[in-house]
């Protein structure tokens, strides 16, 4: 299989693309941030129950770091998509895209559950 076949949205790869788009990306975008927030909340709850000010302060810092990481992970898929779209047209000259760069975007956006 050469590069032109990959760029033409081959039927052999459509199940893999669907698995990535509808299986892996939602887990990364939604599941991981939720798990991070829940873990931080559990740590903070344990610290509050122990009534130790030093431990509460440490757990609060840990919760804030996990919340920031959760927001970053949530936007990873969006940032990657934006970068891929930007780089796919960066090599174009005089309003004509580099050969094949539109076909993978069309293939990705045409996928439906």
């Amino acid at each position: 299989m050469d590069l032109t076949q990959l760029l033409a949205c081959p039927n052999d790869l459509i199940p893999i693309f669907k698995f990535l788009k509808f299986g892996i990306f939602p887990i990364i975008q939604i599941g991981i941030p939720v798990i991070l927030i829940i873990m931080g909340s559990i740590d903070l709850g344990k610290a509050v129950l122990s009534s130790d000010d030093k431990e509460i302060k440490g757990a609060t810092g840990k919760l804030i770091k996990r919340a920031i990481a959760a927001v970053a992970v949530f936007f990873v898929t969006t940032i990657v998509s934006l970068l891929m779209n930007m780089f796919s047209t960066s090599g174009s000259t005089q309003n004509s895209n580099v050969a094949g760069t539109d076909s993978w975007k069309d293939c990705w956006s045409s996928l439906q559950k």
Side-chain angles (χ1 to χ4, degrees), residues 21-88:
K21 187 172 184 176
F22 302 114
I24 300 297
F25 280 7
I27 290 171
I28 292 172
Q29 196 171 22
I30 304 297
I32 292 175
V34 167
I35 290 171
L36 287 171
I37 299 289
I38 289 172
M39 287 173 48
S41 299
I42 290 171
D43 288 343
L44 185 60
K46 287 179 184 178
V48 168
L49 289 176
S50 73
S51 301
D52 183 16
D53 288 337
K54 190 175 182 180
E55 197 171 325
I56 292 172
K57 193 173 192 176
T60 303
K62 194 183 275 189
L63 177 62
I64 290 170
K65 288 177 186 176
R66 285 184 177 166
I68 291 170
V71 170
V73 168
F74 181 78
F75 287 113
V76 161
T77 55
T78 304
I79 291 168
V80 168
S81 295
L82 288 173
L83 288 174
M84 293 301 285
N85 285 334
M86 184 173 61
F87 290 134
S88 71

